Amino acid sequence: MSTAVTAEQVEKVVVESLATFGADPDQITPEATFEALDVDSLDLAELSQIVHEQFGVELKGSDVAEVKSVEDAVQLIASRL
Amino acid sequence: MSSSAQMEAIVVTGVGAVTPLGVGARTLHERWCAGECGIAGGEGACADFEPKDFLSAKEVRRADRFTQLAIAACAEALADAGWRDGEPDGRGSSAPYDPERIGCVLGTGIGGIQTLVDGQDTLRERGSQYVSPLSVPLMMSNAGAGALSMRHDLRGPSFAVSSACASGAHAIGSALRMLQCGEADAVVAGGSEAGLTPLARAAFSALDALSQTGVSRPFDARRDGFVMGEGAAVMVLERAGAASARGARVLGTVRGYGASSDAHHLTAPRDDGRGQAAAMTAALADAGVAAEQIDYVNAHGTSTPLNDRAETQAIKLALGEHAMRIPVSSTKSAIGHLLGAAGAVEAVATLLALRDRIAPPTLGLSEPDEGLDLDYVPGAARPLTRGGNGDSAERGADGPVLALSNSFGFGGHNAVLCLEAA
C-alpha cells in the first residue's frame, strides 16, 4: 500500500465511518471510547471492510476485539499501513 | 388440549399498525370505513411512514424496512395498552409483567428481502469481501421479533412464524396458545412485511398472481390478481383476569383460533374450499361458538380469481345458510395484500370494526362474479347488526359481536381467528 497514507487520513476515514454508522459526530474524538459511542462488534466488522477497501489493511476479529477507542483503532490501522 | 372456550379469556389491550392508509391502527380503521383506498400506482406503499420518527440513525441502518414497520406498529400497540409512559420513540417498557414472562411472536412471509437483494448486488458488482456484515442480521425472518424483544425488554419466548400470507394470523394464534399453555403472561404478537421490490414484483408476476390493472377488487368479475402492499400490525395480548386487575382497557377478545393445511398445491387453494373451511370450523369449535353467532367475516379476499371463488365456497361450507345473512368484506380492497402482515393487520381492523359496530366495505366491487353471492358490503361501510340480516331477534341486538378473520397462504396454510368485541 502507498506510504503516502497518513495517520490523519486514517483518522478521517474512521471518524466518517463511525458517523455513518450512527455515532454522534460531536462525540467522535480520538479519546472517545467505543462504549461511550455505542460502537459494537457489528460496527467494527463494517469498519474492517472499509479499512480494507481504503487502505488494504486487513483487520481480523481478534484484532478489533482489543480496540477500545477511536485512537486505538487509528493506531492499529496506521501501524499496518 | 381444552378449547379456548374452556380456558381463561385472552384479551387484546393494545393495537398498532402501519399500513398504506397511514400510520396508526385507528387511521386504518377510520379511513377504510370511510371508503378511502391506500393503493396508488398499483401498489400499497406506506408512503406516510418515516422510519426516523421511530428509530435513531443507527437503528435505521440496523433494521430492514420490515423490521422498521414492526417497530412502529409495536410502539403504538404498547402505548395503546398503557405499557409505557409515552416516550416519543417508543423505547423501553413499563410493562405490568415480569419481562421474562412476556413473549413476542411476529409473522413475516419473506423477511428482509431488500437487504437480501442489496447483498446480492454487492456480491455481484464488488465481490464477496464487500458484502455487509449487517446482511444476515437484517434479512433473517426473525429480525423483527428480535428487534421488538430487545427494544422493549421482552424476555419470554420470542420468534418469527412464517406461512406466507397466513403468517400474521398464525402469529396471533401462536400467541394465544402461548398464553393458554402458561408459557407467558402477556404476548406482543403481529406481522410485518416490506416486499415492494422489483424482485418480488417480478416473482409474483411470473406466477400470474399480481393484478396487471393494479386494482384490488375482491369478488368482482373483473378482478385480475392481488395488489401488493407493505405494512405491519401488532397486538398486545393478556389474560383477562390480569388485564382487569391492572385496570386495563380491553379492546376485545381472541375467542378462538383454527388452522389447517390444504395439502393440495403450492400456490392454488382447493377449488371446493374444504381446507379453508376446516380452519374456519376449527376456529369456531375452539371459540365454542356456533356458526349462527358470527356477525361478520373479514375475508382473506385477495382479488385473485382462485382465492375469492374458493373462499366463498369455504365460507358457505363453514357457516352454512348463515353465510348468506352476514357481511363479508376484504381489507385488501383498501390497502392491497400485505402478505405476511395481512393476517395481523386484518385482525386489528376487524377488532376495531366490531368495537364500532361497523361492517367495513369491499372497495372497488361493483360487478360481483357469477356464483360469488355473499354479502360483500360493496363500496361503502354500513352499521353492523348483531346476528346479521336474519335471526337477530334470537340473539338480541345487545351484547358482544363476533367475527372470523380469514388468512390463507401459499403452501396451503390456513389460519382463522375468532374475535369478539363488546
Side-chain angles (χ1 to χ4, degrees), chain B residues 276-295:
Chain B
Q276 301 171 347
M280 296 178 73
T281 302
L284 289 172
D286 188 46
V289 304
E292 290 70 27
Q293 288 174 268
I294 296 299
D295 303 296

Side-chain angles (χ1 to χ4, degrees), chain B residues 301-323:
Chain B
T302 57
S303 186
T304 60
L306 288 179
N307 176 82
D308 297 356
R309 182 164 295 280
E311 185 173 13
T312 295
Q313 289 301 314
I315 294 169
K316 290 178 180 177
L317 276 174
L319 302 183
E321 288 178 13
H322 186 66

